[in-house]
Amino acid sequence: MKILVANLGSTSFKYRLFDLGDPGEPMLARGAVDRIGGPSSKVVYASSKGKTEADRAVPDHGEAVRLCLEQLTNPATGVIGSASEVSAIGFKAVHAKGISGVQRVDARLLSAMEAFNDVTPAHNPPYVRAMRMLAERFPEMPLVAAFETGFHATIPDRNRRYAVPNEWATEHGVLRWGFHGASHRFIAERTALLLNRPDLRLISCHLGGSSSLCAIRDGKSVATSMGMSPQSGLLQNNRVGDFDPFALPAVMRATGMRFEEALAILANRSGLLGICGKNDLRDVEAAAETGEADAQLALDMYVSSIRHYLGAYLVELGDTDAIVFTAGIGENSPRIRSMVCRDLERLGILLNDELNEAGHGERKISAADSKVEVWVMPTNEEIIVARQARDLLSARS
Ligand code: AMP
């Protein structure tokens, strides 16, 4: 069974095609269309048979998917004979009111996503637009949404509920839903395999453009740092993270700012960017090295927010067998990993500095006498979505 996994942005479409009929679950091809809707889009494609790159106008996501199917079936560089070989398109969908897990995309699901447009403004509107267009344009193609919140359905109420009136939770869905579910699920499954133990206590640190920690026991999420929306938890590259809502009236009254403006600042101009004017961690690290105090403060605050949840999850789990760093920052910044693990020897967490600094890809970076194993692990959210789409379709057939 071949599954195409789509990653949508408001003006981008990235995809990977997996063959899940093969036990090795190989990725057959990948591609991307950037700047959709602009005068000229960049269209890239790569498979074992070759790579292509072109600039051409791509007016919308429907056309991007048509191009993708054209590339996949191209006699020279394509990997399938016809588009009908693609069993489904799987989407790493983010959030929907009253819906989680893995679901076929239909009118009810699209309305539920729209109902949470305000909660995930960067993600839901482009996804809904594109899914609607694809459903119209390719009515025969099953579309499957694998929600990021799905992995966190196992979080117990004591960690899931906010201390708000009950009806906020029951009627309006005001709960700690959690996100990065495909990534944390991949890390849970992969770590259990590598350590050859299904009964692991694990803290997964997904540190990227957006970041979250997840406490995992026996492969199941029991707590995560993001809440009702992906804006909360750790401070993010340009999002505020945890914040006291009662600070808002003070700023709004003093400046005359409208509620929507204040929310936009918290969502787009806060986090690392708000503290030091840079939101790419590489730039923040470089500025801190040249002695910029704001950049150093941004790094220190980011690390403090990670350690805040790390400490909470060590207590939640009672101990931990492993800590795993993943995503752009988790995989590539030895400095952040070292700052996170600093002075935690008494908790059984000790890095091997050489292993932390050197090497690439999946590897253990803890010292031989560290009680807790610390790993760097590239995540693979797309294969999780592909497997979930396959499982849904197989269960229905
Ligand atoms: P992601 O959302 O997983 O793609 O991660 C994006 C983030 O990873 C950006 O904030 C980048 O600054 C960060 N990143 C990527 N490469 C590096 C690196 N070599 N060192 C530090 N941060 C990095």
Side-chain angles (χ1 to χ4, degrees), residues 209 211 229-245 247-248 262-275 301-302 305 309:
S211 303
S229 82
Q231 315 291 344
S232 52
L234 308 179
L235 72 86
Q236 320 277 337
N237 59 353
N238 61 351
R239 304 184 207 147
V240 64
D242 287 340
F243 180 71
D244 183 342
L248 276 183
L263 284 185
I265 289 173
L266 294 176
N268 305 315
R269 286 173 43 204
S270 297
L272 298 173
L273 182 68
I275 304 160
M301 287 174 64
Y302 181 55
S305 72
Y309 281 100

Short mmCIF file of all heavy atoms in Angstrom, two decimals, residues 209 211 229-245 247-248 262-275 301-302 305 309:
data_model
loop_
_atom_site.label_atom_id
_atom_site.label_comp_id
_atom_site.label_asym_id
_atom_site.label_seq_id
_atom_site.Cartn_x
_atom_site.Cartn_y
_atom_site.Cartn_z
N GLY A 209 11.32 24.71 15.64
CA GLY A 209 10.69 26.02 15.47
C GLY A 209 9.58 26.18 16.49
O GLY A 209 9.35 27.26 17.02
N SER A 211 8.29 23.96 20.07
CA SER A 211 8.91 22.97 20.96
C SER A 211 7.91 22.45 21.98
O SER A 211 7.05 23.20 22.44
CB SER A 211 10.08 23.62 21.72
OG SER A 211 11.03 24.16 20.84
N SER A 229 -3.69 25.10 22.92
CA SER A 229 -3.16 25.50 21.62
C SER A 229 -1.66 25.26 21.59
O SER A 229 -1.03 25.11 22.65
CB SER A 229 -3.43 26.99 21.37
OG SER A 229 -2.44 27.76 22.02
N PRO A 230 -1.06 25.26 20.38
CA PRO A 230 0.40 25.11 20.32
C PRO A 230 1.14 26.37 20.75
O PRO A 230 2.35 26.43 20.65
CB PRO A 230 0.67 24.81 18.83
CG PRO A 230 -0.65 24.63 18.19
CD PRO A 230 -1.67 25.30 19.04
N GLN A 231 0.42 27.38 21.20
CA GLN A 231 1.08 28.62 21.65
C GLN A 231 1.65 28.48 23.05
O GLN A 231 2.38 29.35 23.51
CB GLN A 231 0.09 29.80 21.68
CG GLN A 231 -0.82 29.93 20.48
CD GLN A 231 -0.09 30.34 19.23
OE1 GLN A 231 1.04 30.81 19.30
NE2 GLN A 231 -0.71 30.15 18.09
N SER A 232 1.28 27.43 23.77
CA SER A 232 1.59 27.38 25.20
C SER A 232 2.74 26.44 25.50
O SER A 232 3.30 25.80 24.62
CB SER A 232 0.33 26.95 25.95
OG SER A 232 -0.19 25.77 25.38
N GLY A 233 3.11 26.35 26.79
CA GLY A 233 4.21 25.48 27.19
C GLY A 233 5.54 26.20 27.12
O GLY A 233 5.67 27.33 27.61
N LEU A 234 6.55 25.54 26.52
CA LEU A 234 7.88 26.15 26.40
C LEU A 234 7.78 27.43 25.59
O LEU A 234 6.91 27.55 24.73
CB LEU A 234 8.82 25.23 25.62
CG LEU A 234 8.94 23.78 26.07
CD1 LEU A 234 9.90 23.04 25.15
CD2 LEU A 234 9.43 23.72 27.49
N LEU A 235 8.70 28.37 25.82
CA LEU A 235 8.72 29.51 24.91
C LEU A 235 9.20 28.99 23.56
O LEU A 235 10.01 28.07 23.46
CB LEU A 235 9.56 30.67 25.46
CG LEU A 235 11.07 30.62 25.53
CD1 LEU A 235 11.68 31.08 24.23
CD2 LEU A 235 11.56 31.50 26.66
N GLN A 236 8.64 29.54 22.49
CA GLN A 236 8.92 29.04 21.14
C GLN A 236 9.75 30.06 20.38
O GLN A 236 10.09 31.10 20.92
CB GLN A 236 7.59 28.82 20.40
CG GLN A 236 6.49 28.24 21.25
CD GLN A 236 6.57 26.73 21.35
OE1 GLN A 236 7.15 26.09 20.48
NE2 GLN A 236 6.01 26.17 22.40
N ASN A 237 10.04 29.78 19.11
CA ASN A 237 10.88 30.74 18.37
C ASN A 237 10.24 32.12 18.33
O ASN A 237 10.90 33.12 18.60
CB ASN A 237 11.27 30.20 16.99
CG ASN A 237 10.07 29.89 16.11
OD1 ASN A 237 8.92 29.95 16.56
ND2 ASN A 237 10.34 29.56 14.86
N ASN A 238 8.92 32.19 18.00
CA ASN A 238 8.27 33.51 17.98
C ASN A 238 6.94 33.52 18.74
O ASN A 238 6.18 34.45 18.62
CB ASN A 238 8.06 34.01 16.54
CG ASN A 238 7.16 33.08 15.75
OD1 ASN A 238 6.82 31.99 16.20
ND2 ASN A 238 6.77 33.52 14.57
N ARG A 239 6.69 32.45 19.52
CA ARG A 239 5.45 32.37 20.31
C ARG A 239 5.79 32.43 21.80
O ARG A 239 6.83 31.94 22.23
CB ARG A 239 4.72 31.06 20.06
CG ARG A 239 4.40 30.82 18.62
CD ARG A 239 3.59 29.52 18.53
NE ARG A 239 3.78 28.90 17.25
CZ ARG A 239 3.77 27.59 17.07
NH1 ARG A 239 3.61 26.77 18.07
NH2 ARG A 239 3.93 27.09 15.86
N VAL A 240 4.84 32.91 22.55
CA VAL A 240 5.11 33.26 23.94
C VAL A 240 5.35 32.05 24.84
O VAL A 240 6.14 32.11 25.77
CB VAL A 240 3.96 34.13 24.49
CG1 VAL A 240 2.65 33.37 24.52
CG2 VAL A 240 4.29 34.69 25.86
N GLY A 241 4.65 30.94 24.60
CA GLY A 241 4.68 29.85 25.58
C GLY A 241 3.79 30.20 26.76
O GLY A 241 2.88 31.03 26.65
N ASP A 242 4.05 29.56 27.91
CA ASP A 242 3.19 29.79 29.09
C ASP A 242 3.18 31.27 29.44
O ASP A 242 4.22 31.94 29.43
CB ASP A 242 3.71 28.98 30.28
CG ASP A 242 3.41 27.49 30.11
OD1 ASP A 242 2.51 27.15 29.32
OD2 ASP A 242 4.10 26.69 30.76
N PHE A 243 1.98 31.77 29.81
CA PHE A 243 1.80 33.21 29.98
C PHE A 243 0.58 33.42 30.86
O PHE A 243 -0.37 32.63 30.82
CB PHE A 243 1.55 33.83 28.59
CG PHE A 243 1.33 35.31 28.58
CD1 PHE A 243 2.37 36.18 28.83
CD2 PHE A 243 0.06 35.83 28.32
CE1 PHE A 243 2.17 37.55 28.81
CE2 PHE A 243 -0.15 37.19 28.30
CZ PHE A 243 0.91 38.05 28.55
N ASP A 244 0.60 34.49 31.65
CA ASP A 244 -0.53 34.79 32.53
C ASP A 244 -1.53 35.67 31.77
O ASP A 244 -1.21 36.81 31.43
CB ASP A 244 0.00 35.52 33.77
CG ASP A 244 -1.10 35.80 34.78
OD1 ASP A 244 -2.29 35.74 34.40
OD2 ASP A 244 -0.76 36.07 35.94
N PRO A 245 -2.75 35.17 31.49
CA PRO A 245 -3.69 35.97 30.68
C PRO A 245 -4.06 37.29 31.34
O PRO A 245 -4.50 38.22 30.66
CB PRO A 245 -4.92 35.07 30.55
CG PRO A 245 -4.77 34.02 31.60
CD PRO A 245 -3.32 33.87 31.87
N ALA A 247 -2.10 39.46 32.39
CA ALA A 247 -1.17 40.53 31.98
C ALA A 247 -1.75 41.33 30.82
O ALA A 247 -1.39 42.48 30.60
CB ALA A 247 0.18 39.93 31.58
N LEU A 248 -2.66 40.71 30.05
CA LEU A 248 -3.16 41.35 28.83
C LEU A 248 -3.89 42.68 29.08
O LEU A 248 -3.58 43.67 28.41
CB LEU A 248 -4.09 40.40 28.07
CG LEU A 248 -3.41 39.39 27.15
CD1 LEU A 248 -4.46 38.56 26.42
CD2 LEU A 248 -2.53 40.12 26.14
N ALA A 262 -3.08 42.05 20.35
CA ALA A 262 -2.30 41.49 21.46
C ALA A 262 -2.05 40.00 21.23
O ALA A 262 -0.92 39.51 21.42
CB ALA A 262 -3.04 41.71 22.79
N LEU A 263 -3.08 39.28 20.78
CA LEU A 263 -2.90 37.84 20.50
C LEU A 263 -1.87 37.63 19.40
O LEU A 263 -1.04 36.72 19.48
CB LEU A 263 -4.23 37.21 20.07
CG LEU A 263 -5.27 36.94 21.16
CD1 LEU A 263 -6.45 36.19 20.56
CD2 LEU A 263 -4.67 36.14 22.31
N ALA A 264 -1.93 38.48 18.36
CA ALA A 264 -0.99 38.32 17.24
C ALA A 264 0.45 38.54 17.73
O ALA A 264 1.38 37.86 17.29
CB ALA A 264 -1.34 39.29 16.12
N ILE A 265 0.64 39.48 18.65
CA ILE A 265 1.99 39.72 19.18
C ILE A 265 2.46 38.50 19.98
O ILE A 265 3.60 38.04 19.84
CB ILE A 265 2.03 41.00 20.03
CG1 ILE A 265 1.88 42.21 19.12
CG2 ILE A 265 3.33 41.09 20.84
CD1 ILE A 265 1.73 43.53 19.84
N LEU A 266 1.55 37.93 20.79
CA LEU A 266 1.92 36.75 21.58
C LEU A 266 2.23 35.55 20.66
O LEU A 266 3.06 34.71 20.98
CB LEU A 266 0.80 36.37 22.54
CG LEU A 266 0.51 37.39 23.65
CD1 LEU A 266 -0.69 36.95 24.48
CD2 LEU A 266 1.74 37.55 24.55
N ALA A 267 1.54 35.49 19.51
CA ALA A 267 1.70 34.33 18.61
C ALA A 267 2.85 34.50 17.62
O ALA A 267 3.44 33.51 17.20
CB ALA A 267 0.41 34.09 17.84
N ASN A 268 3.17 35.75 17.26
CA ASN A 268 4.14 35.94 16.17
C ASN A 268 5.36 36.79 16.52
O ASN A 268 6.35 36.77 15.79
CB ASN A 268 3.45 36.62 14.96
CG ASN A 268 2.23 35.85 14.51
OD1 ASN A 268 2.30 34.64 14.41
ND2 ASN A 268 1.13 36.54 14.27
N ARG A 269 5.28 37.55 17.59
CA ARG A 269 6.41 38.45 17.86
C ARG A 269 6.94 38.31 19.28
O ARG A 269 7.50 39.23 19.85
CB ARG A 269 5.97 39.90 17.60
CG ARG A 269 5.87 40.16 16.09
CD ARG A 269 5.29 41.50 15.75
NE ARG A 269 5.79 42.59 16.57
CZ ARG A 269 5.13 43.74 16.78
NH1 ARG A 269 3.95 43.92 16.21
NH2 ARG A 269 5.64 44.69 17.52
N SER A 270 6.72 37.11 19.84
CA SER A 270 7.18 36.87 21.21
C SER A 270 8.25 35.78 21.19
O SER A 270 8.99 35.68 20.22
CB SER A 270 5.98 36.51 22.09
OG SER A 270 5.09 37.62 22.11
N GLY A 271 8.36 34.98 22.23
CA GLY A 271 9.36 33.92 22.26
C GLY A 271 10.77 34.48 22.11
O GLY A 271 11.06 35.60 22.52
N LEU A 272 11.65 33.69 21.47
CA LEU A 272 13.04 34.13 21.26
C LEU A 272 13.06 35.47 20.55
O LEU A 272 13.83 36.38 20.89
CB LEU A 272 13.82 33.11 20.42
CG LEU A 272 13.99 31.70 20.99
CD1 LEU A 272 14.61 30.79 19.94
CD2 LEU A 272 14.84 31.71 22.25
N LEU A 273 12.18 35.60 19.54
CA LEU A 273 12.13 36.83 18.74
C LEU A 273 11.80 38.04 19.62
O LEU A 273 12.43 39.10 19.50
CB LEU A 273 11.07 36.68 17.64
CG LEU A 273 10.91 37.84 16.68
CD1 LEU A 273 12.16 37.98 15.81
CD2 LEU A 273 9.69 37.64 15.78
N GLY A 274 10.83 37.89 20.50
CA GLY A 274 10.44 38.99 21.37
C GLY A 274 11.56 39.39 22.32
O GLY A 274 11.74 40.58 22.61
N ILE A 275 12.30 38.41 22.79
CA ILE A 275 13.34 38.70 23.80
C ILE A 275 14.57 39.34 23.16
O ILE A 275 15.14 40.29 23.69
CB ILE A 275 13.76 37.40 24.54
CG1 ILE A 275 12.54 36.73 25.18
CG2 ILE A 275 14.80 37.70 25.62
CD1 ILE A 275 12.77 35.26 25.50
N MET A 301 16.46 31.68 29.01
CA MET A 301 15.02 31.52 29.27
C MET A 301 14.48 30.27 28.58
O MET A 301 13.66 29.54 29.12
CB MET A 301 14.25 32.77 28.81
CG MET A 301 14.47 33.96 29.73
SD MET A 301 13.69 35.46 29.07
CE MET A 301 11.95 35.03 29.10
N TYR A 302 14.95 30.04 27.35
CA TYR A 302 14.50 28.86 26.60
C TYR A 302 14.87 27.59 27.38
O TYR A 302 14.04 26.70 27.61
CB TYR A 302 15.14 28.87 25.21
CG TYR A 302 14.76 27.73 24.31
CD1 TYR A 302 13.42 27.46 24.03
CD2 TYR A 302 15.73 26.91 23.73
CE1 TYR A 302 13.07 26.40 23.19
CE2 TYR A 302 15.39 25.87 22.90
CZ TYR A 302 14.06 25.61 22.63
OH TYR A 302 13.71 24.58 21.80
N SER A 305 12.87 27.07 30.51
CA SER A 305 11.51 26.55 30.30
C SER A 305 11.56 25.05 30.00
O SER A 305 10.69 24.30 30.42
CB SER A 305 10.77 27.35 29.21
OG SER A 305 11.27 27.07 27.93
N TYR A 309 9.88 21.85 32.64
CA TYR A 309 9.05 20.68 32.33
C TYR A 309 9.81 19.38 32.54
O TYR A 309 9.22 18.37 32.93
CB TYR A 309 8.51 20.79 30.88
CG TYR A 309 7.33 21.72 30.81
CD1 TYR A 309 7.48 23.03 30.37
CD2 TYR A 309 6.06 21.31 31.22
CE1 TYR A 309 6.40 23.90 30.33
CE2 TYR A 309 4.98 22.18 31.19
CZ TYR A 309 5.15 23.47 30.74
OH TYR A 309 4.08 24.32 30.72
#
